[in-house]
Amino acid sequence: MTSSLTWQQLRDLRLDELDDAADGWGAVSRHADAAEERINGDMSGALSKTQESQSAEAAVKRLQRLSRNFDYIRTECGLLRTTVSGLAAELASPQRRVKEALADAAAHAYTVHEDGSIGYPAAGTSELTGPEIPGGRASGHNGLIGPGAGLHGPVGGPGLLDSAEGYRGPSLTSTNPHHARAQHIADRIARALRDAQETDSRYQSTLARLRAAPGLTVDTTSWADAAADMAAVREAARGQIDREIPLDRSPADRKRWWDGLTDAQREDYLASYPDVIGNLDGIPALVRDEANRENLQLLIAKFSGEEGAVAKARLGGLKEIQHQLELNAATRLSDPREPPMYLLGIADEGTGRAIVAYGNPDTSRNVAAYVPGLGTALDGDFARNDLRRARQTANGAQFHDPSSASIVWLGYDPPQLGEVDAETLLSNTEVMSAERAERGAPAYNSFMSGLAATNEHGDPHLTAIGHSYGSRLVGGATQEGGGIPGVDDIVLLGSPGVGVDRAEDLGVGKDHVFVGAAENDPVSRLPSKQEAVAGAVFMGGGPLLSYLAADVADQGDDDIWFGRDPASEAFGAHRFTVADGPRPFIDGQGLTPAHSNYFDPDKDRKSADNIAVIVSGQPHLVTSEKYR
């Protein structure tokens, strides 16, 4: 779109009215958010708790639809607020510049014409010719390079005949001393107007996009359109907002940055950059949750329009997380003891990112962050099983201390099994390499640093939990500079090794390292690389036979795949009691049934109870198991 903005309109523009309009759209957005909360809480909850009938169920579904509508309205009105606010902010500079130029013209009694040219008076008698030096008219150049650009320089810089500092003497093209000064003023007006017109055109295009179709039906198409609107708003702002986000700062610095913003600035960031703010360590949990619930809708819309197995898996995981959030909200209406869910991270990077908390990690004294392992990705299995493990841990810990929260952290790319079967498991270099764990360790440390920064308690009790391959990531995180920020206790479950040979090397003191290793969990008994080779030679078979032959080829050094066995006496951790679990294959539940039971109080009460007391800061209640 081409702007027809004139210098007179720019001069007279009431930027405060634009700010008021932006505030109005912000108010609408907040009202929609409040309406959504009321529908989800008071209205849907009251129906669910007091009525059981088909009509009540139908009414709840209609209320859920209305809630989604308000969510969409909140998002779009927030974008409108940001756009109008950005327009006002960008027009402030050219308006100030044109007013300053007009004031200079008035101070010298110059005439400002309709087209922005400057009329200047005669200058008395010429010493060379005698007759009076006539007045004239200077037309402004906007600083563009090209035909008609004149002799004046590019935007904001000095030209050949004048300078950014102002008038410096007679012009080379006129003997009238007023000419150069008038030309400078005309150029300033032209440049200010050119910048304002460019801004006006850019924001006109964006505002033209922000329109809902007649008859509001919010579906994946609506959210896909919202994603496009968000991209347009970012483009209109020319990256001005995102450049101010402290991406390269520490989580503590980001927390201070967020705390220092005005409410209006926070609304702008949440409207335009929910995907950034929602996944930024150091931002408060409530803010991340708000942003990521919107991100969730945008990602569902994205993957709904894509084909292929990966898109199908991601969509299944995203929809299941959405279902779990809705289920949690409904459950809490009838049972306030149910820990609330917070979506602290969601993204489609790599194999998918998802961080979900049960209990508020900013207000809880005890917070645990569990890292899942091999084969985990953002899919339906993760959303059902790994979220359940975090919830089970929260429930158990809150039994001992209600001020407890538990998090599942999928913030890295675990190795994927794909179609790898048991026979080729140990020969798969990606699966059996520590590379992905070590690459993910800095991200985990950043997250833990963020937990410490946003927690309202001066010294919260933080527990790092690594399950399976996730324990190798936790081990790697301890070896980063300074170790895992703020962590007090480390729990290793079904670990194939953590990359160090002694518990005291994990940086929290060996008495604060706890290990759960089921007797029938083959992952916690993987042979060392040397044993695997020796076993394969001895048995004349593949990797599975080499695993079965580990006792025969045992080197006697307590080593397993990623180093010293955490359950061994040589490692020196506190091994706690867990159930033996089903035997691989023999008990008819596959290769690794015992590997998945550590968090489940129904399948392994001993292990779940021990994890709960550690997370709640009461390790004296741990029941011990003898070393291997």
Side-chain angles (χ1 to χ4, degrees), residues 29-327:
S29 180
R30 290 189 293 273
H31 285 317
D33 185 47
E36 180 188 2
E37 290 186 4
R38 185 182 177 197
I39 289 168
N40 293 339
D42 298 343
M43 300 172 70
S44 295
L47 274 174
S48 300
K49 287 190 293 185
T50 60
Q51 299 185 40
E52 294 184 6
S53 65
Q54 290 184 345
S55 60
E57 292 177 1
V60 167
K61 289 181 179 179
R62 291 180 67 84
L63 286 171
Q64 289 174 342
R65 176 184 174 184
L66 184 58
S67 172
R68 290 191 294 270
N69 289 353
F70 276 121
D71 189 20
Y72 177 75
I73 291 171
R74 176 186 61 80
T75 298
E76 289 291 327
C77 290
L79 290 173
L80 279 164
R81 197 215 87 83
T82 300
T83 303
V84 176
S85 176
L87 173 61
E90 287 200 43
L91 286 177
S93 174
Q95 185 187 61
R96 173 184 54 77
R97 286 151 49 201
V98 83
K99 285 183 175 180
E100 289 173 349
L102 293 172
D104 284 351
H108 292 90
Y110 295 163
T111 301
V112 182
H113 295 284
E114 191 78 12
D115 61 356
S117 61
I118 304 297
Y120 54 89
T125 302
S126 169
E127 294 180 0
L128 296 177
T129 62
E132 183 180 57
I133 301 173
R137 188 163 171 168
S139 296
H141 304 297
N142 62 20
L144 295 176
I145 302 300
L151 295 175
H152 294 269
V155 179
L160 296 177
L161 303 183
D162 60 339
S163 72
E165 286 77 18
Y167 169 71
R168 287 194 173 185
S171 168
L172 296 179
T173 60
S174 173
T175 58
N176 189 322
H178 291 291
H179 174 79
R181 184 182 292 114
Q183 184 66 62
H184 181 65
I185 294 173
D187 288 348
R188 289 158 60 194
I189 292 173
R191 291 170 184 173
L193 182 59
R194 187 278 317 276
D195 292 348
Q197 288 174 339
E198 187 278 329
T199 296
D200 186 38
S201 296
R202 184 160 28 96
Y203 278 92
Q204 278 188 60
S205 298
T206 302
L207 287 167
R209 285 193 54 92
L210 300 177
R211 297 177 180 175
L216 184 58
T217 300
V218 175
D219 52 19
T220 55
T221 302
S222 304
W223 283 106
D225 182 67
D229 291 346
M230 193 174 297
V233 171
R234 294 184 184 187
E235 176 61 26
R238 293 277 178 86
Q240 180 178 351
I241 296 178
D242 65 314
R243 285 194 298 271
E244 297 170 356
I245 300 175
L247 298 176
D248 58 347
R249 305 292 293 276
S250 71
D253 287 338
R254 294 170 186 161
K255 173 64 165 53
R256 285 189 287 272
W257 167 76
W258 184 262
D259 289 345
L261 297 177
T262 65
D263 289 342
Q265 288 172 321
R266 292 174 184 170
E267 288 178 8
D268 284 344
Y269 285 113
L270 284 171
S272 302
Y273 292 89
D275 54 328
V276 178
I277 299 301
N279 292 287
L280 196 62
D281 298 326
I283 300 300
L286 290 176
V287 177
R288 293 181 70 162
D289 178 66
E290 178 183 346
N292 285 318
R293 288 178 188 247
E294 182 172 330
N295 292 336
L296 182 64
Q297 299 300 328
L298 297 173
L299 287 172
I300 288 174
K302 173 185 175 180
F303 285 109
S304 294
E306 295 186 5
E307 301 290 338
V310 172
K312 183 178 180 181
R314 294 289 177 276
L315 184 60
L318 294 165
K319 286 188 172 181
E320 181 60 28
I321 290 175
Q322 181 183 40
H323 171 68
Q324 294 292 339
L325 289 166
E326 293 172 349
L327 183 62

